[in-house]
Amino acid sequence: MTTPAFACFHLTPPNQGTAKTYWAFFQIMAATIRRVCPDAEIHLLTNSHAAVPAGLNVDHVFRLATERSQKECFDRLMVEEVECWQAYFTSDLFAGPTVLIDVDLLIQKNPFMLFDGNFDIGLTYTDDPSLHAFNSGVILVDPARPENIQRYFASVVEKVQGYAAEFQEWYGDQMAIAAML
């Protein structure tokens, strides 16, 4: 049996106050995962610039090498995120059912019961016109057909890289997911 995992993307914000708040949220999120899914691993997805605090409640840190400065990374945050996702899903860490999750979420139920072999990617959808149709804050990824996962995330990366700078910085991931359906 493969180990289920929660994978959370992060770049260390340049503002130290914001960074400390982020890590506090991360620890709260991780505590809810440990309470509800004690057998699941927690994977932090980041780049080679990220300063990860000692003692963080995480099982693995996946780092994507980058030559870009921290400012350049933040200016194109959504590109950084989807490129990191793509690299993670081709790595050995992606071995079991995985939930991509935003740091500002609290886990109340075990989501791994949803993995029934009938999907490759599971998305959260809303028909509220004031919101993006698909929220990238929770994405279920089944490892059974890795070639489908790799093609999907390669397409997401290609779309986000092609967006205007404002969408490479924010919301481009959700726009790409919606555009692919």
Side-chain angles (χ1 to χ4, degrees):
M1 174 89 183
T2 57
T3 304
F6 288 88
C8 183
F9 174 77
H10 161 70
L11 288 185
T12 305
N15 175 300
Q16 287 302 314
T18 303
K20 287 178 184 177
T21 300
Y22 173 86
W23 292 122
F25 281 131
F26 188 97
Q27 291 294 72
I28 293 167
M29 174 204 66
T32 67
I33 290 170
R34 300 287 189 218
R35 181 180 53 80
V36 175
C37 304
D39 297 329
E41 291 185 344
I42 301 173
H43 299 171
L44 173 63
L45 313 182
T46 190
N47 71 16
S48 51
H49 294 304
V52 178
L56 192 67
N57 191 355
V58 63
D59 297 299
H60 298 282
V61 178
F62 176 84
R63 291 184 182 274
L64 181 64
T66 183
E67 299 293 322
R68 293 182 285 272
S69 71
Q70 184 183 29
K71 181 184 180 331
E72 289 171 310
C73 293
F74 267 90
D75 287 348
R76 37 178 281 150
L77 185 60
M78 295 300 98
V79 174
E80 294 294 317
E81 176 189 57
V82 298
E83 287 178 350
C84 196
W85 288 351
Q86 180 185 26
Y88 171 78
F89 287 116
T90 61
S91 78
D92 292 339
L93 279 178
F94 177 54
T98 300
V99 179
L100 285 175
I101 186 172
D102 278 352
V103 71
D104 59 352
L105 296 177
L106 304 177
I107 304 303
Q108 295 181 327
K109 284 187 159 185
N110 185 336
F112 297 104
M113 294 180 227
L114 299 171
F115 288 83
D116 61 5
N118 290 320
F119 67 88
D120 297 316
I121 304 284
L123 302 170
T124 52
Y125 171 78
T126 182
D127 59 3
D128 182 335
S130 68
L131 300 171
H132 287 274
F134 294 95
N135 183 333
S136 62
V138 177
I139 300 175
L140 308 177
V141 186
D142 190 307
R145 291 173 291 277
E147 65 284 353
N148 291 350
I149 304 308
Q150 291 166 11
R151 272 196 314 274
Y152 177 81
F153 282 101
S155 295
V156 170
V157 167
E158 182 180 347
K159 287 196 177 309
V160 176
Q161 288 173 337
Y163 290 149
E166 67 185 283
F167 299 117
Q168 287 185 359
E169 184 178 4
W170 208 246
Y171 298 121
D173 55 346
Q174 296 178 135
M175 291 170 55
I177 290 168
M180 292 175 53
L181 299 174

